[in-house]
Amino acid sequence: MISFLIGLAALIAGYFLYGSIVERVFRPDNRPTPAQERADGVDFMVLPTRKVFMIQFLNIAGTGPIFGAIMGAKFGPSSYLWIVLGSIFAGAVYDYMSGMLSMRNGGVGYPELVGKYLGKRMRGVALVFTLFFIILVGAVFVYSPALILSFFYDNDLLWIIIIFGYYVIATLLPIDKVIGRVYPVFGAALLFMAVALFVMLCVKMPNLPEVWDSLDNMMPQEAAEANPIYPCLFITIACGAISGFHATQSPMMARCIATERHGRRVFYGAMITEGIVALIWAAVGSYFFYASPTPGYQEMEVATGYATAAPKIVALVTQDWLGLLGGILAVMGVIVAPITTGDTALRSARLIVADWLKIDQRQKAKRLYISIPIFLFSLLLLLWQIENPEGFNVIWQYFGWGNQVLSVIGLWTITVYLAGENKCYWVTLLPAMFMTCVCITFLCVSKQAFAIDYTIGCIAGVTAMAATTILFFTHLAKKRAIK
């Protein structure tokens, strides 16, 4: 528990200390924001900062800081280190810089930023990859909450229709009409559940593994061999540390902020908040798997033990610790998290396509004919998932790696921007180098991909990191020579 509490304090301190440093690197000023210059009453409009923060938090959260943190806790207390250090020095920096860079460029989306700083070819890669990725998120986050809701009223199809219908409305209507009204309520429910669990952790003070005891992989031997801490931990815990998906969502709020000076509060602050939520759930997971002398699953007499699925752990722990209210909060959190990510995923897909085709979104008809192909593709993916759930799960296994690939592209984009502006590019260069190494290594050694020898995979990761770093410095030297 001491490691957990220190980690919590470090995250809060990180917002004020390192967040301030990152803010000074970017240098926000009082120039008009896209919300003011391009106000259209649909996507560009000034919203209260508290609403912008809550929308941003729910946009990026999803189930990642819950399920990912629980699965990451299987590795042991090393998960605490990744959540804390990853959130402060990588994830929050990435979210802040990508959101602010979008503001500086008129609120444009992720692919347009990649294209401006990394070139047209990378723009095309980012456009295709991002659209497929976020539409995939939208489709999956229809089906999973529908299955949970079916426990209350057993009609999967009805719930799918209701949730997808909500997605259609949230995608098409002005952002203040639906998202701006329901997100503060949803966010409060998700945060209340996290706070309640934190209080119970402090009341129970379970004896959990500490960082200084061991940073080794605590999984059973067979699982540990199949999932080495490096690189698997850094893929398993994405939301809650660093997630490429976030940069596809931040432009929505970059279009709603009244002043650049609120950027740290919204972008850096939302990511730190997500890190706090992830850290709480990692501690809950550690209690369930490794509490001493009796792990949580033994106290609760759960036969599946270590193999218990993350959603089941959420339900078991919250009901055991918080009673009936806990059960309600668990359902609310597990349902709200994917829905509030799925709706904005499809909305951001519309905005990305509109940016690409340069189509103004004031008119309902134009929003509709951009959205129809997105909805149709989502429905096709959804139908395939319903008919072939195992096949879709195979594709979903690549979600974590694909998510971090987006973060790598985004980090290099921001690094090139900072270098071009003679700003301290090291704040994103180091995370870019690290995540490049992680992603290439994972692609090489994972059974989901090439499954080659671990040592060779690590060498490939280091080689890729070195190559991209050399390419960056070569590009920087050429730019400075021209000047």
Side-chain angles (χ1 to χ4, degrees):
M1 274 292 290
I2 298 175
S3 297
F4 162 69
L5 294 173
I6 292 173
L8 192 65
L11 282 169
I12 296 170
Y15 170 78
F16 292 102
L17 299 177
Y18 197 68
S20 179
I21 292 172
V22 172
E23 185 179 48
R24 286 199 297 271
V25 169
F26 188 85
R27 296 195 292 269
D29 54 37
N30 293 320
R31 72 184 67 191
T33 65
Q36 297 163 336
E37 289 189 318
R38 301 181 60 185
D40 62 2
V42 179
D43 301 307
F44 292 86
M45 66 178 71
V46 174
L47 293 178
T49 304
R50 58 180 175 79
K51 281 192 175 183
V52 175
F53 169 84
M54 195 62 77
I55 295 171
Q56 175 70 7
F57 169 65
L58 286 174
N59 283 354
I60 66 176
T63 55
I66 301 174
F67 297 161
I70 290 173
M71 291 186 289
K74 292 182 178 183
F75 289 94
S78 55
S79 61
Y80 295 165
L81 279 183
W82 173 230
I83 290 170
V84 173
L85 299 179
S87 292
I88 295 171
F89 297 107
V93 179
Y94 172 71
D95 286 14
Y96 175 78
M97 289 292 182
S98 60
M100 297 300 290
L101 195 53
S102 174
M103 290 178 69
R104 284 283 172 94
N105 287 273
V108 298
Y110 176 83
E112 300 302 315
L113 292 176
V114 172
K116 180 172 181 178
Y117 297 104
L118 297 187
K120 292 183 179 180
R121 290 184 181 177
M122 283 304 300
R123 174 180 177 268
V125 171
L127 179 66
V128 174
F129 194 82
T130 302
L131 279 176
F132 178 77
F133 186 84
I134 59 181
I135 293 173
L136 176 69
V137 169
V140 172
F141 285 170
V142 172
Y143 190 57
S144 55
L147 289 180
I148 297 170
L149 287 167
S150 67
F151 285 105
F152 298 92
Y153 183 77
D154 190 14
N155 190 327
D156 294 354
L157 181 59
L158 175 63
W159 290 119
I160 287 171
I161 292 171
I162 290 173
I163 294 171
F164 195 81
Y166 163 72
Y167 283 7
V168 170
I169 294 170
T171 300
L172 294 174
L173 288 184
I175 196 164
D176 62 328
K177 300 302 181 186
V178 177
I179 291 175
R181 292 179 179 177
V182 302
Y183 269 45
V185 178
F186 289 164
L190 188 58
L191 289 173
F192 183 78
M193 179 169 64
V195 170
L197 289 172
F198 168 71
V199 171
M200 290 305 299
L201 280 168
C202 292
V203 169
K204 288 181 171 291
M205 289 297 289
N207 186 12
L208 306 179
E210 304 287 1
V211 169
W212 45 83
D213 292 335
S214 174
L215 291 177
D216 293 338
N217 195 332
M218 294 185 65
M219 293 184 183
Q221 184 175 354
E222 185 176 349
E225 290 175 356
N227 299 276
I229 284 183
Y230 178 82
C232 294
L233 172 62
F234 307 100
I235 299 293
T236 301
I237 301 179
C239 295
I242 180 171
S243 168
F245 174 72
H246 295 185
T248 69
Q249 304 300 292
S250 294
M252 279 189 289
M253 292 302 96
R255 303 177 184 210
C256 298
I257 295 180
T259 171
E260 285 190 354
R261 298 188 186 280
H262 291 170
R264 177 158 70 103
R265 193 183 314 170
V266 172
F267 299 119
Y268 200 98
M271 181 59 222
I272 290 296
T273 303
E274 185 183 62
I276 290 172
V277 172
L279 190 66
I280 290 170
W281 281 107
V284 169
S286 182
Y287 155 78
F288 189 84
F289 298 124
Y290 300 124
S292 177
T294 308
Y297 69 83
Q298 290 186 6
E299 287 186 1
M300 299 177 190
E301 300 181 349
V302 181
T304 48
Y306 176 82
T308 308
K312 183 68 173 177
I313 293 172
V314 172
L316 287 168
V317 172
T318 50
Q319 289 175 16
D320 183 68
W321 288 7
L322 305 174
L324 178 61
L325 177 61
I328 295 171
L329 287 173
V331 171
M332 280 288 292
V334 174
I335 292 172
V336 162
I339 288 178
T340 54
T341 299
D343 60 358
T344 50
L346 295 186
R347 187 181 184 92
S348 66
R350 171 176 68 79
L351 297 176
I352 287 171
V353 173
D355 286 345
W356 173 41
L357 300 177
K358 294 180 171 42
I359 298 175
D360 187 89
Q361 294 293 279
R362 287 182 176 87
Q363 297 179 18
K364 294 179 182 178
K366 291 183 178 180
R367 298 202 296 272
L368 185 60
Y369 72 66
I370 285 180
S371 299
I372 285 175
I374 294 171
F375 295 149
L376 291 176
F377 186 40
S378 298
L379 283 172
L380 288 174
L381 286 172
L382 182 59
L383 290 172
W384 187 43
Q385 183 183 16
I386 293 170
E387 294 297 324
N388 305 278
E390 291 306 314
F392 200 87
N393 286 339
V394 172
I395 290 182
W396 187 249
Q397 290 174 358
Y398 294 92
F399 177 87
W401 180 79
N403 188 18
Q404 299 302 51
V405 167
L406 283 177
S407 75
V408 169
I409 297 172
L411 284 166
W412 283 112
T413 299
I414 298 163
T415 304
V416 169
Y417 158 76
L418 292 174
E421 295 291 316
N422 292 317
K423 297 178 178 179
C424 181
Y425 53 79
W426 290 98
V427 295
T428 53
L429 175 61
L430 294 177
M433 293 169 62
F434 178 72
M435 292 309 300
T436 299
C437 195
V438 165
C439 287
I440 298 301
T441 303
F442 183 81
L443 180 65
C444 291
V445 305
S446 173
K447 291 182 179 179
Q448 301 166 12
F450 298 118
I452 64 175
D453 178 76
Y454 180 74
T455 302
I456 296 174
C458 290
I459 293 172
V462 172
T463 302
M465 177 187 70
T468 50
T469 305
I470 291 170
L471 185 63
F472 164 72
F473 280 110
T474 302
H475 169 79
L476 181 58
K478 288 180 179 179
K479 285 282 188 181
R480 290 180 174 174
I482 294 172
K483 292 181 178 180

